[in-house]
Amino acid sequence: MFRSFVAWITGHLTVPDDDSDLLKAQFAVFSSQVPLMYSIVLVNSWALAYPFMTTAPVWLAVYVPLGLSLVCAVRLVGWWRMRRTVPTAQYAHQALTRTNKFAFVLSVGLTVWALSLYPYGDAYGQGNIAFFIAITGVGVIICLQQLRSAAFIVAIVINTSFVVYFSLAGIASFVGMATNMALVSIALLLVVAIQFRHFAGAVSARSELEAISRENAKLANLDSLTGLSNRRQFFAHLEAAVSESGDRRVAVGIIDLDGFKPINDLYGHTVGDNLLVEVGQRLAALAGSNVQISRLGGDEFAVTVTDCGTDDAELLAMGERLCTALRDPFVLAEATVQVSGSMGFSVYPHLAADAHELYERADYALYRSKRTNRGHPVLFTQEHVVEIDQSQRIEQVLGSANLAAEMEVVFQPIMDTRFAKVVSFEALARWTSPVLGKVPPDHFIPVAERVGLISELTCVLLNKALASASTWPEDVGLSFNLSTHDISTSDGVATIVGIILSSGVDPCRIDFEITETAMMYDFSQAKASIEIFQLLGCGIALDDFGTGYSSLSQLHALPLTKIKIDRSFVSGLHENPASYKIVKSLLALSSDMGLGCVIEGVETEEELAALKQLGCLLVQGYYYSPPVPAVDAANFLSEAGVVRMTDQQPPRRTLAAVSP
């Protein structure tokens, strides 16, 4: 019991150090109340000293108040300087503990000094002493109510001295005053204790609220899957980095995973999510102190580099390290998978005026990386500025173009290597604009895809291609390219089927070429679209085979009739053993899968000879002919002759009629 009482007393007379937020709040409130507290002490001291200047010794009536004033002034200036200080918990505890000690010394000094004046005063003066002690004690206690320990120390020292001294004075009015003062002090200390409890509770509630707010802010700015900064935090950080950059350069890199969607579709979203977590960890492990890695959403990540120096080569080298790291296999619990990452960089302020333009241009560089340098970083340059301006100009003109009048179809033959005869023609788009002149297809087709004109463009070109094919011999086929948009909806497929049926061209003469990227965009829809075309009798060729990221299991599941091997594998085939082996393997693969195989981009006699040695039957390229207008294609047929397509292609199922 006694120990509990002692612990209670000790707890009320010392500054607790177990609550850092409470300590800092006490420091802040007390520092704002210090001027008032010391003003009360100084005013009351001189008010008490003045009547005694003629009766008490000078040192007691003048010098002591002067010394007291000096001490209070020093303390007041010290606290005034600290009024804007944001202290640590340790600093606040030390300052408040010093205040505790000073409160004891000050209250003892004030009380002793005031009672020392008692013998030099008359009844009026002695009553004034009692009033001084009482009112000063009450005022100081009120100012110290948020510093409970100091308030208790002052109350105990002043009131104990007051009650004892005046109770022993033998004057009834003083005894009554002492008793009243004791009761008032007890009531005041109860109020202080209650107020302090409420104050501590309010501080605790505020701390909890701030903790919740910080957690909410953290959740709002972090990607819940990878733990990286999310899209919101990325843009906030980018805005701050640009605004605070000064003369320093800021770079943004955007990374998009190549081959993620097939993995997600094949193994499921759980494996896809685990892969994204591993990608985030691998990127974060390579980030330097001036690099922030963020996940923007899906399989897209961002790299923000502050103070990236002036050497673009170093920036690209860092990007290459990130891309190289992503090419290493990811060993997951469910499977070992492999992806790569294409990356686009942009630098502020070199070719970007603000944070928004910096991001947009990094995104454009990513687009260029995917088209021209997949799996590696590309830096946005002045050439890309010209491309963007050109693309915007094409977009404006294409939107108002008369597609039927301005678009032309040219044809490049697909040849049988055994007889140098035409098997079929691939239809290719050409645009001659009255405003822009001749626009290359690799310029206007991506624009048409982006602005949603590609389906309309497909219909115009397919009608023209079929019109030309209807004049060819029955054994000469037509290859026609379809985009992602063309096979992504059932309505688009139905429109294409309607065009074929109304053309009068046998569907068996038509091969639709579709890229791996188009099929992987929505595999199930692509498969359904392909099956409709195959039931109609059309062939399906997988274009640019080997450059995408589809898996063999998915390709096997598709009703393909042919694959087309990309030019990148053929260039310098006769001089490159690795390319030779790759093409040999692809030819064997197509044979094993029962598929026809066309080698694209054959340009030299040496390349053709090497392909013949490998047993390649069908080739296409400038060695035989560039793309030519429809009239020249007809002349080419009469000169080169034809080979029956049925001799080279697997049998196809046909439908008597298909309604669009």
Side-chain angles (χ1 to χ4, degrees):
M1 185 70 177
F2 177 74
R3 290 183 178 179
S4 299
F5 178 74
V6 171
W8 184 85
I9 290 295
T10 303
H12 281 70
L13 297 181
T14 57
V15 180
D17 59 356
D18 57 345
D19 190 334
S20 59
D21 291 330
L22 179 59
L23 283 169
K24 289 185 277 189
Q26 286 179 287
F27 181 93
V29 173
F30 180 67
S31 63
S32 66
Q33 293 178 342
V34 164
L36 176 60
M37 184 183 73
Y38 284 119
S39 297
I40 291 174
V41 172
L42 290 176
V43 170
N44 286 356
S45 298
W46 284 106
L48 176 63
Y50 181 74
F52 289 92
M53 287 183 179
T54 57
T55 57
V58 175
W59 68 268
L60 188 60
V62 177
Y63 294 155
V64 171
L66 280 175
L68 182 63
S69 298
L70 180 61
V71 171
C72 290
V74 170
R75 293 286 294 172
L76 182 59
V77 170
W79 277 99
W80 179 258
R81 288 178 176 176
M82 292 189 296
R83 71 190 187 281
R84 301 186 187 280
T85 301
V86 179
T88 63
Q90 182 181 5
Y91 181 86
H93 183 263
Q94 292 172 349
L96 295 177
T97 300
R98 286 195 300 269
T99 299
N100 258 14
K101 296 176 181 179
F102 184 73
F104 175 77
V105 174
L106 181 62
S107 57
V108 170
L110 279 173
T111 304
V112 171
W113 171 68
L115 294 177
S116 298
L117 292 172
Y118 188 83
Y120 302 100
D122 53 16
Y124 173 79
Q126 293 170 346
N128 197 32
I129 291 173
F131 178 78
F132 163 78
I133 294 175
I135 199 67
T136 302
V138 170
V140 171
I141 290 170
I142 291 175
C143 291
L144 291 172
Q145 59 183 318
Q146 271 76 39
L147 186 55
R148 183 184 59 185
S149 55
F152 270 71
I153 289 171
V154 170
I156 291 172
V157 171
I158 291 179
N159 285 286
T160 300
S161 304
F162 184 91
V163 171
V164 172
Y165 191 89
F166 284 98
S167 295
L168 298 176
I171 302 174
S173 60
F174 282 178
V175 173
M177 187 181 297
T179 303
N180 185 57
M181 181 62 184
L183 295 175
V184 169
S185 295
I186 292 172
L188 189 58
L189 289 178
L190 289 174
V191 171
V192 169
I194 294 171
Q195 285 291 88
F196 181 78
R197 186 164 62 247
H198 290 166
F199 176 74
V203 171
S204 178
R206 186 184 68 180
S207 298
E208 291 178 3
L209 182 61
E210 289 176 349
I212 293 172
S213 298
R214 287 193 297 269
E215 184 64 22
N216 288 339
K218 180 180 178 181
L219 293 175
N221 291 309
L222 290 183
D223 176 58
S224 59
L225 178 63
T226 62
L228 299 172
S229 298
N230 62 10
R231 190 179 188 89
R232 173 181 175 180
Q233 176 63 14
F234 162 74
F235 282 107
H237 175 70
L238 182 60
E239 290 281 358
V242 167
S243 63
E244 298 169 4
S245 62
D247 296 332
R248 297 169 299 177
R249 300 202 314 166
V250 177
V252 166
I254 302 178
I255 302 173
D256 188 80
L257 299 183
D258 304 314
F260 173 76
K261 193 176 187 307
I263 292 173
N264 210 34
D265 293 341
L266 181 63
Y267 295 105
H269 292 290
T270 299
V271 173
D273 288 347
N274 292 339
L275 174 58
L276 292 175
V277 172
E278 292 290 331
V279 167
Q281 292 176 350
R282 194 172 288 185
L283 292 175
L286 294 173
S289 58
N290 63 331
V291 177
Q292 175 181 287
I293 305 295
S294 308
R295 181 188 175 213
L296 302 182
D299 60 338
E300 192 171 73
F301 294 81
V303 179
T304 307
V305 187
T306 56
D307 193 12
C308 64
T310 58
D311 191 349
D312 290 339
E314 290 184 6
L315 189 63
L316 286 171
M318 184 193 73
E320 190 61 49
R321 287 195 299 272
L322 295 175
C323 291
T324 299
L326 293 179
R327 285 194 289 271
D328 292 337
F330 289 86
V331 181
L332 308 177
E334 302 84 353
T336 297
V337 297
Q338 192 163 10
V339 294
S340 67
S342 297
M343 188 173 189
F345 268 119
S346 180
V347 179
Y348 171 91
H350 179 49
L351 287 174
D354 52 37
H356 175 74
E357 190 171 54
L358 181 61
Y359 169 78
E360 291 294 333
R361 293 190 164 183
D363 192 52
Y364 184 84
L366 170 64
Y367 162 78
R368 296 299 301 168
S369 171
K370 281 189 166 294
R371 286 183 63 89
T372 64
N373 199 25
R374 186 181 289 264
H376 299 277
V378 167
L379 180 65
F380 188 89
T381 65
Q382 186 62 45
E383 293 179 359
H384 296 141
V385 176
V386 175
E387 289 178 6
I388 290 176
D389 293 340
Q390 183 183 56
S391 177
Q392 292 174 342
R393 180 63 173 155
I394 290 173
E395 180 178 334
Q396 293 174 352
V397 176
L398 188 62
S400 59
N402 184 342
L403 299 181
E406 298 175 21
M407 290 293 169
E408 179 189 5
V409 178
V410 294
F411 301 91
Q412 186 173 38
I414 298 174
M415 307 294 294
D416 182 284
T417 59
R418 294 170 300 176
F419 310 110
K421 303 295 183 179
V422 179
V423 173
S424 61
F425 285 99
E426 179 179 356
L428 301 168
R430 296 294 183 266
W431 179 30
T432 303
S433 166
V435 178
L436 303 175
K438 293 185 179 296
V439 183
D442 59 343
H443 288 180
F444 71 82
I445 288 179
V447 174
E449 291 179 333
R450 189 178 72 249
V451 301
L453 286 175
I454 191 64
S455 296
E456 182 180 351
L457 185 60
T458 295
C459 293
V460 170
L461 295 172
L462 182 57
N463 274 310
K464 291 193 173 191
L466 289 171
S468 296
S470 65
T471 65
W472 302 337
E474 289 293 324
D475 290 329
V476 176
L478 170 70
S479 286
F480 188 89
N481 292 277
L482 295 180
S483 73
T484 303
H485 298 272
D486 295 324
I487 62 173
S488 61
T489 64
S490 56
D491 289 344
V493 173
T495 300
I496 293 172
V497 170
I499 293 174
I500 294 172
L501 294 178
S502 62
S503 69
V505 175
D506 186 349
C508 294
R509 296 173 59 195
I510 302 171
D511 280 331
F512 283 120
E513 297 187 13
I514 303 172
T515 64
E516 293 182 53
T517 303
M519 287 193 291
M520 293 309 111
Y521 178 78
D522 187 340
F523 184 80
S524 58
Q525 176 60 45
K527 182 178 179 182
S529 301
I530 290 172
E531 288 174 344
I532 291 174
F533 291 135
Q534 193 182 48
L535 287 173
L536 184 65
C538 301
I540 302 296
L542 183 61
D543 199 12
D544 299 332
F545 182 72
T547 62
Y549 290 85
S550 54
S551 67
L552 292 179
S553 60
Q554 287 173 307
L555 297 182
H556 184 69
L558 291 170
L560 301 174
T561 57
K562 188 179 295 180
I563 61 174
K564 300 189 73 174
I565 298 177
D566 187 70
R567 160 71 185 165
S568 59
F569 296 109
V570 180
S571 181
L573 175 75
H574 56 291
E575 299 174 341
N576 190 332
S579 295
Y580 189 89
K581 291 178 181 178
I582 291 173
V583 173
K584 181 179 180 181
S585 298
L586 293 177
L587 286 168
L589 175 65
S590 65
S591 177
D592 292 342
M593 295 181 69
L595 303 175
C597 183
V598 179
I599 305 293
E600 297 183 287
V602 179
E603 297 184 356
T604 67
E605 186 173 352
E606 292 78 9
E607 291 171 353
L608 180 62
L611 291 172
K612 285 182 177 180
Q613 185 178 2
L614 289 172
C616 175
L617 301 181
L618 302 177
V619 299
Q620 174 183 354
Y622 275 65
Y623 176 77
Y624 283 108
S625 172
V628 296
V631 173
D632 294 336
N635 295 336
F636 192 91
L637 280 174
S638 63
E639 295 172 2
V642 300
V643 174
R644 293 184 58 82
M645 293 176 60
T646 52
D647 293 342
Q648 307 302 334
Q649 302 204 30
R652 299 174 183 165
R653 294 173 288 172
T654 60
L655 267 183
V658 176
S659 298

